[in-house]
């Protein structure tokens, strides 16, 4: 099992005996486990932005808040009441 990110919080409970026998593993990878240098981060980020420009990654499901609504945005994230991207704008 691979868990990417903890934006919605970590698991409250996980029975580790489910993965303790045989050839099972549990990992929690982080970006910097895979990015070795600032240059590599830059070229990977540029690839992502290129894919957005080419339409390979869709960026059309935003919930937008102003900075003055940051508390409300945080509460929505914390309460798992968001779908897609959440954007704070000035």
């Amino acid at each position: 099992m691979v868990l990417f990110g903890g934006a919605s919080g970590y698991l409250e409970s996980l029975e580790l005996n489910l993965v303790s026998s045989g050839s099972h593993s549990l990992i929690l990878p982080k970006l910097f486990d895979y990015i070795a240098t600032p240059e590599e981060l830059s070229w990977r980020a540029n690839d992502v932005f290129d894919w957005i420009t080419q339409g390979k990654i869709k960026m059309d499901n935003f919930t937008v808040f102003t900075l003055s609504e940051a508390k409300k945005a945080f509460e929505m994230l914390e309460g798992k009441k968001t779908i897609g991207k959440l954007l704070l704008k000035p």
Side-chain angles (χ1 to χ4, degrees), residues 64-88:
V64 180
F65 290 98
T66 62
L67 285 177
S68 64
E69 298 174 299
K71 181 180 178 190
K72 181 178 178 183
F74 175 78
E75 289 168 350
M76 288 187 70
L77 286 169
E78 186 177 51
K80 300 179 183 179
K81 296 179 180 170
T82 61
I83 296 174
K85 297 107 184 136
L86 192 142
L87 177 67
L88 292 175

Side-chain angles (χ1 to χ4, degrees), residues 30-46:
K30 300 172 296 304
L31 175 65
F32 290 101
D33 290 338
Y34 300 94
I35 304 291
T37 65
E39 294 78 20
E40 183 180 5
L41 176 60
S42 180
W43 71 257
R44 288 182 184 270
N46 285 329

